[in-house]
């Protein structure tokens, strides 16, 4: 009996050690994935600001102020596990406004909508899990030669989030393939953070690139 009890005790200890090591592996992977977000964002945004400065644009000053606001959010929230959904949506709005500085709004139409059917006080989401899809739409859906439409829609209903982005494909680099490391990064983060609680569908039809993402943010 004593031998059996000791064996069970050792087995439980071993299981706990394996479990803890798996948790640490997941934490390390999440940290690595999050670390890839900031350089990607900074590179693209600094390119935008540099272009405005070279062109001596009147938008440069306001763009810098918007950039500072985004940076404050990134460095205060990006390292957190979860943030309130309203904070994340506000960050997305600021990002879209910053990107409008490089867009000819007579040629590119951007539609952003956000709707909720419940209180969002206790609805939380992993920070910066949505921004890559929005960044992708704004990157490949804008052209200086063609008219285009970009649609970004976020809905919250019954504890579930739906993100829909649609953009005309006006960049040859976007034809026939998904975006690179950004989308791959998001897929991995979604699998780690929301296993069996999300669905992601990316499709191309009629020259429109479409992302449809659903996440169960709250257990019903």
């Amino acid at each position: 009996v004593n031998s059996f009890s000791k064996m069970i005790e050792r087995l439980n200890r071993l299981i706990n050690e394996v479990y803890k090591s798996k948790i640490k592996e997941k934490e390390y992977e999440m940290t690595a994935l999050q670390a890839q977000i900031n350089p990607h964002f900074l590179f693209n945004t600094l390119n935008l600001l540099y272009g405005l400065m070279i062109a001596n644009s009147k938008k440069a000053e306001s763009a810098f102020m918007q950039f500072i606001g985004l940076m404050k959010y990134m460095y205060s929230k990006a390292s957190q596990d979860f943030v309130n959904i309203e904070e994340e949506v506000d960050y997305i709005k600021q990002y879209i406004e910053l990107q409008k500085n490089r867009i000819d709004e007579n040629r590119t139409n951007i539609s952003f909508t956000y709707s909720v059917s419940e209180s969002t006080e206790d609805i939380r989401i992993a920070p910066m899990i949505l921004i890559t899809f929005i960044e992708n739409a704004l990157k490949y859906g804008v052209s200086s030669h063609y008219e285009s439409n970009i649609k970004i829609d976020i809905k919250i209903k019954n504890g579930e989030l739906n993100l829909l982005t649609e953009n005309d494909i006006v960049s040859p680099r976007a034809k026939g393939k998904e975006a690179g490391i950004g989308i791959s990064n998001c897929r991995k983060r979604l699998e780690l953070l929301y296993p069996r609680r999300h669905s992601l569908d990316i499709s191309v039809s009629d020259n429109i690139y479409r992302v449809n993402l659903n996440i169960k943010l709250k257990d019903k």
Side-chain angles (χ1 to χ4, degrees):
V1 171
N2 287 336
S3 297
F4 183 76
S5 297
K6 289 180 180 179
M7 184 183 70
I8 294 298
E9 185 180 339
R10 290 196 193 103
L11 184 59
N12 283 332
R13 190 160 54 241
L14 179 61
I15 290 171
N16 285 331
E17 287 174 0
V18 171
Y19 176 76
K20 287 177 182 178
S21 70
K22 290 295 181 183
I23 293 294
K24 286 183 178 179
E25 282 180 19
K26 182 176 179 179
E27 289 174 352
Y28 292 150
E29 187 171 359
M30 280 301 307
T31 301
L33 291 171
Q34 285 179 323
Q36 293 176 12
I37 297 172
N38 292 0
H40 188 256
F41 168 84
L42 288 173
F43 178 78
N44 290 331
T45 306
L46 289 174
N47 268 343
L48 165 61
L49 295 175
Y50 179 71
L52 292 174
M53 290 176 62
I54 290 295
N56 199 25
S57 171
K58 295 179 180 178
K59 298 179 179 180
E61 184 175 348
S62 63
F64 268 109
M65 297 307 296
Q66 291 166 336
F67 174 66
I68 289 171
L70 292 173
M71 291 298 292
K72 285 180 179 178
Y73 179 84
M74 285 176 59
Y75 285 101
S76 64
K77 303 295 183 180
S79 60
Q80 297 182 16
D81 293 333
F82 297 96
V83 297
N84 182 267
I85 185 63
E86 296 293 338
E87 293 180 291
E88 187 71 4
V89 170
D90 186 59
Y91 164 74
I92 289 169
K93 289 177 182 176
Q94 292 182 57
Y95 178 81
I96 293 172
E97 289 303 311
L98 175 61
Q99 292 300 313
K100 284 182 179 179
N101 288 293
R102 70 176 177 87
I103 292 170
D104 180 354
E105 295 187 64
N106 293 320
R107 197 178 297 276
T108 301
N109 175 56
I110 300 175
S111 168
F112 173 74
T113 53
Y114 171 58
S115 60
V116 295
S117 62
E118 60 195 288
S119 170
T120 57
E121 184 177 351
D122 60 343
I123 296 181
R124 299 172 67 77
I125 188 171
M128 302 184 72
I129 196 75
L130 307 177
I131 194 66
T132 299
F133 302 111
I134 293 162
E135 183 181 9
N136 194 58
L138 292 170
K139 179 179 180 181
Y140 292 113
V142 175
S143 170
S144 57
H145 304 293
Y146 306 102
E147 293 186 0
S148 64
N149 294 289
I150 299 172
K151 176 182 178 181
I152 301 165
D153 178 64
I154 299 174
K155 290 186 175 70
I156 307 289
K157 185 177 181 181
N158 296 329
E160 290 192 22
L161 176 143
N162 174 257
L163 167 69
L164 174 68
T165 70
E166 294 180 345
N167 63 274
D168 295 324
I169 301 176
V170 293
S171 170
R173 290 176 297 170
K175 286 185 178 293
K177 66 173 185 178
E178 290 186 13
I181 191 170
I183 297 295
S184 176
N185 181 313
C186 282
R187 283 188 183 278
K188 290 176 182 176
R189 288 187 72 207
L190 286 165
E191 288 166 4
L192 287 168
L193 290 164
Y194 301 103
R196 297 177 298 279
R197 290 173 55 196
H198 80 278
S199 63
L200 174 61
D201 180 61
I202 298 176
S203 61
V204 178
S205 62
D206 299 325
N207 213 44
I208 294 175
Y209 187 96
R210 184 177 292 106
V211 173
N212 197 330
L213 170 65
N214 281 280
I215 306 176
K216 292 182 180 180
L217 299 177
K218 291 175 62 178
D219 292 328
K220 296 180 183 179

